[in-house]
Amino acid sequence: MYSRIVLNILIFLIPAQLGLHFWPDFSRVSGIRLDYLSPTLYLTDIFLLLYLFLNISLIYKFLKSHYKIILLASCFMLLNSYFGISSLNSLFWWLRTIIYLLFALALKLNRIKIKDILQPLTCSTTLAISVQIFQFFKQSSLDGLFYYLGERHFTFDTPNLSHLTLFGRDILRVPSLFSHPN
């Protein structure tokens, strides 16, 4: 029961971009912080880890019966991280990949189907589209509560935002709750 509730919250929060960035040396290039190199703990990661914790016995049984391939994959990941250009960054991304693979495994072991997550997915999609529609008409961010779902503050005049021309009028391509309008 708790597992299902956590899964529904996780699915609802998929478009949320709320995260805590960490800034180790490997996330800087020439002293400039690059967010895509920064390890980030997202709100969805917390619910993802909670879901894995609630399903740990199922996951453990599966992994125990497939230990040889797990050992081989682990050796590859460690070697890849060790010999990579940025070992810590590589290790971080391998850990994130492992978490997502374990999540997919937990969904498979629990026999989760699309109909099981359709309601939170629909609510989440409706929210993201609604935010985008209101942003389009306002031509800026909505701010307020939406900041906590990951909406970044912007106005029509914010530099480096995508614009398009529609019937001779310059219009802002709004990102909704995502970091980019695409």
Side-chain angles (χ1 to χ4, degrees):
M1 178 178 122
Y2 293 119
S3 178
R4 191 60 62 110
I5 292 169
V6 169
L7 178 63
N8 285 338
I9 293 170
L10 174 63
I11 297 300
F12 177 76
L13 290 174
I14 284 174
Q17 297 280 319
L18 183 61
L20 176 62
H21 286 266
F22 300 96
W23 301 104
D25 288 338
F26 64 78
S27 65
R28 300 170 195 266
V29 175
S30 299
I32 299 171
R33 298 187 315 184
L34 298 177
D35 61 346
Y36 57 85
L37 292 177
S38 154
T40 307
L41 177 66
Y42 290 101
L43 179 61
T44 50
D45 293 339
I46 294 168
F47 284 100
L48 188 66
L49 292 171
L50 183 58
Y51 184 77
L52 292 178
F53 177 75
L54 292 172
N55 291 284
I56 195 73
S57 61
L58 277 172
I59 295 168
Y60 179 74
K61 285 178 191 174
F62 180 86
L63 295 179
K64 188 177 174 184
S65 65
H66 295 84
Y67 75 94
K68 288 181 183 177
I69 195 159
I70 303 299
L71 187 61
L72 183 66
S74 298
C75 287
F76 172 77
M77 291 176 203
L78 288 173
L79 286 172
N80 180 269
S81 294
Y82 181 75
F83 290 110
I85 293 172
S86 178
S87 297
L88 288 175
N89 198 14
S90 178
L91 187 61
F92 170 76
W93 286 105
W94 274 119
L95 289 173
R96 186 169 283 275
T97 301
I98 290 168
I99 289 171
Y100 287 128
L101 290 172
L102 290 175
F103 176 64
L105 176 64
L107 292 177
K108 181 179 174 14
L109 295 174
N110 282 316
R111 295 183 172 92
I112 302 295
K113 296 184 177 27
I114 191 71
K115 68 180 176 98
D116 299 330
I117 60 170
L118 194 58
Q119 184 178 6
L121 191 60
T122 303
C123 291
S124 177
T125 305
T126 302
L127 175 66
I129 291 171
S130 298
V131 167
Q132 191 168 30
I133 289 170
F134 285 115
Q135 286 175 343
F136 178 79
F137 286 112
K138 189 177 176 189
Q139 289 292 290
S140 68
S141 59
L142 301 177
D143 296 323
L145 174 66
F146 299 106
Y147 171 81
Y148 295 104
L149 289 176
E151 180 193 45
R152 290 172 170 87
H153 177 74
F154 64 91
T155 64
F156 184 82
D157 298 322
T158 302
N160 299 322
L161 280 181
S162 300
H163 289 79
L164 61 99
T165 303
L166 188 65
F167 302 114
R169 184 173 172 216
D170 202 22
I171 296 175
L172 183 64
R173 291 179 57 205
V174 291
S176 183
L177 300 174
F178 305 102
S179 57
H180 195 276
N182 288 344

